[in-house]
Amino acid sequence: MDSILIYGSIGRMEEMRHLFAGESYEVLETDTLGGLYELIRKKAPYLLLMGFSGRGEGGADIVREIRKESSIPILVLMEQNAEGEKIEMLEAGADDCLSYADCSPLELLARAKSRLRRYTRMSCDTKEHLYRVNDLVINDISKRVFVGKQEIKLTPIEYEIVKLLVQEKGKVLSISQIYEAIWHMKPIGADNTIAVHIHHIREKLEENPREPKYIKAVWGTGYKAG
């Protein structure tokens, strides 16, 4: 049974618990940091749903700590619709960050299912594919990415973005096309989300992120590989 881990204290988390349980997911819960880290290590859930009610809770720091050890998909649900805080969460390594005022329970469930499908598929594909741009190589059976001989550790979302662009090598994909292909949602607020993930990807892949060799911006249009 696919499991999700819920961490947080905002009112809608109770609603989320029943929603996911009703979809036959195993729901793990904790409201302590110690419990959060322990469950990630011992239970290896397929998705983490974090809820925060406002500033001062150190959400971005928590995400950074998790990213030191785990590539688990992280969805952050915030009570406040604060763009700056959302960007901070994404920059810390969250896969998606939403305001619950702007996100219905069914939309959140759909986003979570999308992440779960992608995360489980990353462990279950059996047909080998290799994709290459210059000395950037993606092995889609092992879900490993290399630049030369160096393996690059990407989050599941980062991996999917890089693979999408490399599969379409030389083709310019718009921000909306990338967002819809990865999130399977209408591209609301896509610009910042994609920009933050591309920033992280370049920091990991590129020798000089300011002069990218692999993932390039085509101003006013989108991004391309190579």
Side-chain angles (χ1 to χ4, degrees):
M1 179 185 294
D2 292 343
S3 61
I4 68 164
L5 172 57
I6 295 179
Y7 169 82
S9 58
I10 64 175
R12 189 169 264 190
M13 302 310 280
E14 178 73 21
E15 185 179 6
M16 295 301 101
R17 179 191 308 119
H18 293 298
L19 191 64
F20 287 111
E23 292 287 328
S24 298
Y25 291 107
E26 179 185 14
V27 179
L28 309 171
E29 294 181 77
T30 182
D31 57 4
T32 69
L33 279 177
L36 173 64
Y37 299 138
E38 182 177 11
L39 284 170
I40 290 174
R41 286 192 298 266
K42 293 186 176 181
K43 296 293 187 178
Y46 285 160
L47 180 136
L48 169 61
L49 176 62
M50 299 174 65
F52 296 98
S53 58
R55 290 184 175 275
E57 294 179 275
D61 291 334
I62 296 171
V63 173
R64 290 188 191 96
E65 284 299 312
I66 293 170
R67 281 288 171 253
K68 291 178 181 178
E69 299 183 9
S70 175
S71 61
I72 181 176
I74 300 175
L75 272 65
V76 178
L77 191 61
M78 304 184 69
E79 186 170 326
Q80 303 297 324
N81 186 10
E83 184 178 28
E85 292 180 57
K86 288 183 179 181
I87 292 174
E88 185 180 9
M89 290 291 189
L90 292 169
E91 289 180 337
D95 294 286
D96 211 350
C97 186
L98 308 165
S99 163
Y100 77 70
D102 299 329
C103 180
S104 71
L106 290 179
E107 180 183 350
L108 178 61
L109 180 62
R111 287 176 181 267
K113 284 182 174 179
S114 175
R115 300 281 74 73
L116 282 163
R117 285 194 299 269
R118 183 165 288 113
Y119 193 59
T120 54
R121 190 169 64 242
M122 286 181 72
S123 303
C124 297
D125 284 352
T126 57
K127 186 177 180 181
E128 181 170 8
H129 292 282
L130 292 177
Y131 304 104
R132 185 185 304 268
V133 170
N134 300 321
D135 59 344
L136 167 64
V137 178
I138 299 173
N139 185 326
D140 202 34
I141 187 171
S142 63
K143 307 303 177 187
R144 299 171 74 188
V145 178
F146 294 85
V147 173
K149 295 182 179 181
Q150 180 182 359
E151 183 172 2
I152 308 299
K153 298 295 186 181
L154 301 176
T155 68
I157 287 291
E158 292 168 353
Y159 176 87
E160 291 294 332
I161 292 173
V162 172
K163 188 179 81 167
L164 173 67
L165 291 170
V166 172
Q167 282 178 312
E168 302 289 343
K169 181 172 57 176
K171 180 179 178 181
V172 180
L173 298 181
S174 70
I175 288 172
S176 294
Q177 287 174 316
I178 296 171
Y179 193 90
E180 290 177 354
I182 302 300
W183 277 269
H184 305 289
M185 298 285 174
K186 293 181 179 179
I188 300 173
D191 289 29
N192 283 331
T193 300
I194 297 299
V196 169
H197 284 300
I198 293 291
H199 174 75
H200 278 299
I201 289 167
R202 283 174 169 167
E203 285 189 327
K204 295 178 180 181
L205 295 182
E206 306 285 356
E207 183 176 355
N208 182 359
R210 293 182 178 275
E211 297 180 7
K213 177 181 176 183
Y214 306 108
I215 307 299
K216 299 179 181 180
V218 179
W219 300 113
T221 306
Y223 296 93
K224 70 175 183 176

